[in-house]
Amino acid sequence: MVRLYEVTQEQRYFELSRYFVEERGNQPSVFLEEETLGLGHQDKWFGLDYHQAHQPLNEQTTAEGHAVRAVYLYAGIADIVKYTQNKKWKIQLEKLWENVTQKRMYITGGIGSQGHGERFTLDYDLPNNVAYAETCASIGLVFWAQRMLQIEAKNDYADVLEKALYNGVLSGMSLDGKKYFYVNPLEVAPELTDYRHDHVHVESERVGWFGCACCPPNVARLLTSLGNYIYTQKSDTIYHHLYIGNKTNFTINKQNIVLQQKTTYPATGEVRITCFTENEVQMTLKLRKPKWSNSPSLKVNGELQEVVIDNGGYITMERKWRDNDTICLTFDMTPKVISSHPKVRENVGKVAIQRGPIVYCLEEKDNGGQLHSICINPKLPITEENDLQILGFPALTGSGGVREVNDNDTLYREYREPELKQIKWKAIPYSFWGGNRGKGEMAVWLRKI
């Protein structure tokens, strides 16, 4: 409805979209009369909350129900806020954003942890091996984040957009583009995935087709429209949200400005932005500083600049720009060890590896089976190994241990400190796992020494 309004400027379309938002959740709900929507099955997972209709939207503070539909709905609310500047709805969106990204989102930007109902469950309920994390849900999160950025430029929104894009979305597609994941778990043991009923929704490698094939065209429309996600412009200020190679035209003070980005980010941390203009122009450029980046380096025409960061987390450069002025921005891509909130039960005593915005995982092909027995030492350095590169991304290696397994041991015995065999582990970007190099075990979260 909002898009139709933007194209036609017909106010009735915008008013209808607002009516949908303001009416949602009012009782008695029309959904109670719709047997085909699942309510007639007397299944608690398909109640009114499944449709985000259990209470008025302006009273909902937790993300409930079908994950894809939820974030599509929140994106629609954000569209309305963009045009109305309604403070009430903006505050409501921020509450929902906080709940999704701080309590109900995987480190990969996956959302919707339960397969039955493809839905959100409870705060911090983020199981790894039966995660649903539908590819379309991460795409919907990207849509929502982009619209939040149009309301207010905050690196929190762009960071989540980037996390979902490079991890939760790209993991849904094989490198050759012929197979895909509907579901994106963070841990897989094929023998369990292929046998246990509670893993029925999980695939241990990408497949060519599902009966519900929503994800492939959704990935296609996102990737072919990436140009809409890189920048936003407000008057004479241009916000850079994503660091992706592009060439884009802007109009500043009735002058045509071209910005060209050249970068291999996020495989590397080097970004080069060149300004092309016929005449000198006064404008402000704001470059997102990701929260994972500690000390970015900034140069203009080869001269080192002071990094000034605004309240939204954007590096601010206000000056008169001339033709061929060139910005060189460098991010430190040193790999980091990440822990999760202690209320995430499945991750207690475990850590994950991240390099820039890219989440890494261990695969059986590099580390052997029984990945659950591998322990990482977070105090020791992690190194980049360039002899194994996938699309320019290095593998990561580090020191750890593996718990010796003796099949002759009894099932239960008195506790004794396990013996650890020292090993070198190897990790690859999560989005490249499974099917790209053969079927096997995979794990994002690993025990720490």
Side-chain angles (χ1 to χ4, degrees), residues 170-230:
L170 289 187
S171 62
M173 181 174 63
S174 62
L175 289 175
D176 63 8
K178 296 179 180 179
K179 295 182 178 181
Y180 74 101
F181 277 136
Y182 192 110
V183 174
N184 295 278
L186 280 74
E187 179 180 316
V188 164
E191 66 273 17
L192 298 179
T193 300
D194 297 342
Y195 183 80
R196 281 175 48 173
H197 185 267
D198 60 340
H199 289 62
V200 67
H201 57 282
V202 179
E203 299 287 345
S204 53
E205 59 182 333
R206 291 174 184 82
V207 299
W209 189 253
F210 281 96
C212 177
C214 54
C215 300
N218 220 358
V219 170
R221 71 162 169 167
L222 174 62
L223 296 184
T224 53
S225 63
L226 271 182
N228 297 323
Y229 296 80
I230 299 171

Side-chain angles (χ1 to χ4, degrees), residues 296-308 315-317 319 321 326-328:
S297 170
L298 177 67
K299 293 181 179 179
V300 176
N301 299 330
E303 296 184 5
L304 196 63
Q305 306 291 310
E306 179 185 4
V307 176
V308 178
I315 300 168
T316 302
M317 293 183 293
R319 56 180 284 166
W321 297 88
T326 300
I327 301 166
C328 290

Side-chain angles (χ1 to χ4, degrees), residues 113-126:
S113 59
Q114 179 170 288
H116 187 63
E118 304 179 333
R119 61 172 292 154
F120 292 105
T121 55
L122 302 170
D123 291 350
Y124 306 111
D125 179 36
L126 297 167

Side-chain angles (χ1 to χ4, degrees), residues 398-427:
S399 297
V402 61
R403 300 186 180 197
E404 298 280 17
V405 177
N406 185 346
D407 289 338
N408 294 323
D409 281 345
T410 58
L411 182 59
Y412 305 105
R413 62 177 185 271
E414 183 179 354
Y415 175 80
R416 61 176 180 269
E417 195 69 26
E419 294 183 8
L420 291 181
K421 175 185 176 183
Q422 297 301 307
I423 62 164
K424 286 281 188 181
W425 51 263
K426 181 182 291 186

Side-chain angles (χ1 to χ4, degrees), residues 126-147:
L126 297 167
N128 295 310
N129 60 355
V130 292
Y132 203 71
E134 183 183 339
T135 301
C136 282
S138 290
I139 293 172
L141 184 58
V142 169
F143 294 160
W144 182 23
Q146 181 213 26
R147 285 157 175 80

